[in-house]
Amino acid sequence: MYAEIIIPLALPKNYTWAIPFEMEEAVMIGMRVEVMLGSNKRYAGIIKKLQTEKPAGFNPKPIISVLDEAPIVFPAQLQLWEWMANYYMCTEGEVMQAAVPSHLKISSESIFVINEDVNVDGEQLSDPEYIISEALQIKKQLSLLEIQKLLDKKAVYPIVNKLIQKGICSVQETMQDKYTIKVENVLHLHPNYKSEAALEKLMDDWSRAPKQLTLLLAFLHLQKTAGHVQQKALLEKSGAAHAQLKALIDKGILVLEKRKIDRLAVDLNLGNANLHELSFHQKLAFESIVEQMKTHAVNLLHGITGSGKTQIYAALIDQAIQSNQQALYMLPEIALTAQMIRRLKQYFGGKIAIYHSKFNPNERVEIWNKVKSGEIKIVLGARSALFLPYKNLSLIIIDEEHDASYKQQDPAPRYQARDTAIFYANQLGAKVVLGSATPSIETYYNAMQNKFGYYHLKERFSEGALPKMLIVDTKKQTDQAAILTPFLLEAIQATVAKDKQVILFQNKRGYAPYIICETCGWIPHCKQCDVSLTLHKEKNILSCHYCGAAYPVVQTCEACGKQNFKQKKFGTEQIEEKLAKALPHLRIARMDLDNVKGKNEHDQLIQQFEQRQIDVLVGTQMVVKGLDFENVDLVGIVDADSLLNFNQYRVNERAFQMMEQVSGRAGRKNDQGRVIVQLSQTNHPVIEFVKEHDYTAFYQFEINNRKHFAYPPFSRLMSILFKHKENHIAEEAANHFLKSLDPLIQKTVMGPAQPIINRIRNKYIWELCVKISRQPQQLQIAKKQLLHFIHLISVHPRYKSVQIIIDIDPN
Ligand code: ADP
Ligand code: ZN
Ligand code: ZN
């Protein structure tokens, strides 16, 4: 027997291996097997196809071992991967790389790290497993090579696989944040005092240390009321100090246990709440969507900000799980999942789990398995949640469907998760609900063509009006005063005086986006990128936002030698500083990539804001998306011009979405909120639509532009980047490539041109943009040609070191 196997690498195609006779019984499609690639590289690959005919022309090598007892992926997933590789012009290996948690992807490059929090029970281990686990205790981590040496054999994958399954070791993920295990300190009574009599005697004989006795009594009380006693709660309740607790532990009265907090654990207090009853308008929306789902695989719920779309999704999800199906709820950003899970856990308790790429590997495998078995009914996640092995998925909700983050930029697969979900749902026979207050132009167009079902929910849940938009013309201000105009400052003060909160939105982080020599006009640039450097005052550096490089702040101009720099434009850091100076009594916090690291910090800040410990939150897009704060009355869009000045066909769409979404954070409960938009281009057409919150008029305006210039949805775009450290080589390669194409396809290509940022990390970039009709056939022909010529470039003596990146449906 022979097997076509997917290896998590960018190989040009899948290769075939032979299945030795004695393993034939053990293999199935979707299982992992250990294979050798080249002379010594080993990988865990996934069987895609099994066949009896020997492939023509070569002699396949045998697989080394079978790693699974049951498939880890379903055939439907393999079909999805194949479609993605085909559509997004990447390899199935690259899709596998993105789709499968690292623990299921061992290779000879993997490093295996001990899980310190797992108690190893030697009895449960085979001899070789025991040897490895002992070695891990000492060395903490081992490479595959070391394991092979230790066991004095080559085929060690099955053993390592078992150790991973038993939670004894993990595959190290170098790219990921290091996961910290959450532990809580829990206290127990020592078994010696478990009996009433022994406890009584202990108390009777108590002579000194009254504080310790108080502590013990507090412990007993908590144990009775709360069931289990956390150290933190105990110390708080009793007012005792650590030393006293330690004394009780040292005396052998209490025992301390470090308990790992199971993030998947079902909180018994949750999940009992009933779903909120839908309002009249919500009910209409819900019923209409349910009805339309009978005829449409994809449905758009277009609901203004604050209309309560989440409740409708919850009702739809509830319906799905009532009939014992699974539901996937996708959000564009990991950061949003925390607030949402708090809301959804109330109703769905342990039936719902979060899944995204920042989760620790053990946990991801755990969720993977529970989704596969059907134990987890609802998954809340970002893009990668689409790749879980759903047992019976019947509903996919795509919240904030317009959001650009649904597109993965780097690395391949450069996929649009919304579009991919639609394909996948079709394949599975599941239904999709897209939701947004500002649908993407393509989605709305599809709805208008009746390709998608559609419902427009025009009322806020609170019955309140959308916020009032006030435009402040910054042309009338000096540069400095335009950052926070007197009008905005006054409004902030008045809002806080009413005990309400404020959000200030600015799309640039740092202090000043660039500095310039006033004498000669020289601007410091990144040495590796064609990008001006942003001044960060707190860190006292100049930073490149493209490659992350940091430079000391220059004082002397490299061009003219004068010391005469001026800061230009402004970012969140400067707004925070200016605001603190102008209104020193306010509690101000900033939320951007510089001061919010990791999902926990982000979530903490959001909770602080929710609990009103912060008056004004200054931030980038992070503060905008989908969050629900009920006490925000005023939103300031500090520099709306920066949203309107992009050279990209989607600029209007993005600017409208961004402003409408930020505004949507204001006045979500009760009072009508206000939005202050500071800008100089007061006549920009998009501003008119934003002022009236008029999506439909905006759409009419924009769809005409798209039609006129034949941009999506009236065509399909593909971007092809040529990157090389020599500018002229990249340019030549792009031209060479263009000339090789069939004249019919050539006609559809724009470029080669240099993008606005034409050098990143020392590589010059030239771009071809293909704009072709949406006919699937034409697309296939074009793709085939492109692939062919990309291959020719990759073996061309002069251009083979040019890196080519294809992006289908680029953002
Ligand atoms: P959207 O996502 O459409 O902007 P949300 O779903 O965040 O709106 O809802 C806005 C607010 O209204 C939330 O605070 C939510 O709890 C509340 N809400 C919405 N629907 C209901 C309902 N049926 N019952 C009670 N509260 C609701
Ligand atoms: Zn100068
Ligand atoms: Zn750089």
Side-chain angles (χ1 to χ4, degrees), residues 516-522 556-562 564-565:
I516 183 166
C517 169
E518 286 256 85
T519 310
C520 73
W522 181 75
T556 308
C557 175
E558 281 180 23
C560 73
K562 296 266 165 35
N564 189 17
F565 278 101

Side-chain angles (χ1 to χ4, degrees), residues 507-775:
N507 223 7
K508 293 197 170 76
R509 63 194 170 90
Y511 194 84
Y514 65 100
I515 60 173
I516 183 166
C517 169
E518 286 256 85
T519 310
C520 73
W522 181 75
I523 295 172
H525 275 64
C526 179
K527 302 256 182 296
Q528 312 181 60
C529 314
D530 175 34
V531 174
S532 64
L533 295 171
T534 301
L535 173 66
H536 289 251
K537 205 168 166 182
E538 245 167 48
K539 295 184 192 154
N540 195 29
I541 50 163
L542 291 174
S543 143
C544 170
H545 286 184
Y546 279 77
C547 71
Y551 302 83
V553 178
V554 282
Q555 308 294 348
T556 308
C557 175
E558 281 180 23
C560 73
K562 296 266 165 35
Q563 299 199 334
N564 189 17
F565 278 101
K566 191 170 181 210
Q567 297 159 3
K568 284 288 187 176
K569 307 254 180 83
F570 55 91
T572 43
E573 201 184 346
Q574 187 164 167
I575 294 174
E576 187 190 19
E577 186 194 89
K578 292 242 147 67
L579 185 62
K581 222 175 253 165
L583 302 171
H585 58 286
L586 300 191
R587 296 168 301 171
I588 305 166
R590 177 161 57 91
M591 188 184 228
D592 56 33
L593 273 180
D594 295 315
N595 72 335
V596 176
K597 302 214 166 48
K599 59 176 182 178
N600 292 336
E601 270 184 53
H602 181 265
D603 195 33
Q604 268 167 19
L605 203 51
I606 286 177
Q607 293 202 38
Q608 278 175 16
F609 193 57
E610 273 176 349
Q611 289 157 11
R612 308 188 188 180
Q613 294 159 20
I614 297 166
D615 298 316
V616 184
L617 190 58
V618 181
T620 53
Q621 328 199 1
M622 271 188 181
V623 298
V624 174
K625 295 187 173 177
L627 295 169
D628 182 32
F629 304 114
E630 55 177 72
N631 197 43
V632 173
D633 233 20
L634 174 68
V635 166
I637 301 177
V638 185
D639 179 16
D641 293 300
S642 70
L643 299 172
L644 296 165
N645 299 338
F646 282 103
N647 176 20
Q648 203 236 27
Y649 83 95
R650 280 191 208 272
V651 57
N652 289 337
E653 181 181 352
R654 293 275 179 256
F656 181 85
Q657 282 164 353
M658 194 68 89
M659 285 191 255
E660 195 56 35
Q661 291 287 346
V662 196
S663 323
R665 302 314 114 204
R668 289 168 76 82
K669 284 260 165 85
N670 314 321
D671 304 345
Q672 185 181 22
R674 287 194 300 166
V675 179
I676 294 178
V677 185
Q678 301 190 138
L679 92 163
S680 67
Q681 302 166 65
T682 43
N683 292 326
H684 197 289
V686 170
I687 296 297
E688 286 307 310
F689 306 121
V690 170
K691 256 200 311 217
E692 303 299 322
H693 301 291
D694 194 343
Y695 177 86
T696 323
F698 166 71
Y699 172 79
Q700 283 311 336
F701 164 81
E702 187 56 21
I703 198 78
N704 287 334
N705 288 337
R706 300 282 177 93
K707 196 164 196 172
H708 187 73
F709 296 105
Y711 272 119
F714 301 100
S715 64
R716 201 178 276 288
L717 299 183
M718 299 190 249
S719 143
I720 310 169
L721 299 182
F722 298 79
K723 294 187 173 184
H724 198 268
K725 56 184 195 306
E726 303 276 356
N727 194 21
H728 68 278
I729 302 261
E731 182 182 8
E732 273 177 37
N735 273 311
H736 178 82
F737 184 88
L738 178 63
K739 287 201 197 92
S740 330
L741 293 173
D742 182 296
L744 269 178
I745 295 179
Q746 251 182 54
K747 272 207 317 222
T748 67
V749 179
M750 300 177 280
Q754 287 186 296
I756 296 181
I757 310 277
N758 67 19
R759 184 173 55 110
I760 294 176
R761 292 179 203 274
N762 274 331
K763 285 204 171 154
Y764 288 88
I765 308 168
W766 284 82
E767 180 176 22
L768 295 175
C769 184
V770 186
K771 194 203 258 177
I772 57 172
S773 94
R774 293 188 80 86
Q775 258 195 320

Side-chain angles (χ1 to χ4, degrees), residues 276-279 282 304-311 343 461 628 668-669:
H276 282 294
E277 199 165 327
L278 297 182
S279 70
Q282 285 172 328
I304 61 171
T305 54
S307 57
K309 294 185 286 296
T310 317
Q311 297 298 330
R343 290 172 70 178
F461 171 74
D628 182 32
R668 289 168 76 82
K669 284 260 165 85

Side-chain angles (χ1 to χ4, degrees), residues 229-443:
V229 183
Q230 282 174 293
Q231 173 176 310
K232 193 162 156 257
L234 177 61
L235 292 177
E236 263 164 30
K237 184 178 160 61
S238 64
H242 251 284
Q244 287 141 10
L245 179 62
K246 191 169 177 295
L248 286 184
I249 295 169
D250 290 345
K251 284 183 186 166
I253 298 171
L254 293 182
V255 183
L256 179 72
E257 180 203 356
K258 283 197 184 299
R259 188 185 290 178
K260 184 183 159 208
I261 298 176
D262 181 1
R263 288 174 193 235
L264 300 181
V266 183
D267 187 335
L268 294 176
N269 296 319
L270 291 173
N272 298 328
N274 287 327
L275 288 178
H276 282 294
E277 199 165 327
L278 297 182
S279 70
F280 173 73
H281 297 295
Q282 285 172 328
K283 207 176 279 164
L284 289 181
F286 171 76
E287 281 162 4
S288 167
I289 295 285
V290 169
E291 192 52 36
Q292 294 186 66
M293 285 204 294
K294 293 179 187 155
T295 48
H296 290 81
V298 185
N299 296 276
L300 169 61
L301 173 59
H302 179 192
I304 61 171
T305 54
S307 57
K309 294 185 286 296
T310 317
Q311 297 298 330
I312 299 173
Y313 303 145
L316 291 164
I317 291 170
D318 197 45
Q319 209 185 35
I321 61 171
Q322 293 296 341
S323 46
N324 216 12
Q325 307 278 309
Q326 289 172 310
L328 164 62
Y329 185 148
M330 292 225 277
L331 282 163
E333 301 239 7
I334 292 171
L336 293 175
T337 51
Q339 199 191 34
M340 192 56 84
I341 196 81
R342 280 201 296 279
R343 290 172 70 178
L344 295 178
K345 272 233 159 126
Q346 291 172 18
Y347 320 125
F348 301 119
K351 296 194 196 83
I352 187 165
I354 303 192
Y355 184 85
H356 53 63
S357 57
K358 288 275 157 64
F359 263 40
N360 100 311
N362 296 322
E363 216 166 19
R364 281 164 77 190
V365 173
E366 207 174 320
I367 297 177
W368 183 278
N369 291 330
K370 287 187 177 172
V371 168
K372 191 159 145 252
S373 70
E375 186 180 335
I376 290 176
K377 298 281 179 232
I378 311 162
V379 177
L380 176 69
R383 289 194 297 263
S384 61
L386 193 59
F387 297 125
L388 286 167
Y390 296 94
K391 191 176 170 217
N392 50 8
L393 185 65
S394 74
L395 175 67
I396 305 179
I397 306 254
I398 302 174
D399 198 1
E400 314 289 352
E401 68 82 28
H402 62 274
D403 198 296
S405 306
Y406 277 120
K407 182 77 201 283
Q408 169 152 318
Q409 292 297 349
D410 262 314
R414 297 180 176 80
Y415 66 109
Q416 211 319 339
R418 174 198 60 211
D419 301 346
T420 306
I422 291 175
F423 167 83
Y424 195 37
N426 266 318
Q427 185 196 316
L428 298 176
K431 302 287 177 186
V432 178
V433 174
L434 308 173
S436 175
T438 52
S440 65
I441 296 289
E442 288 95 321
T443 295

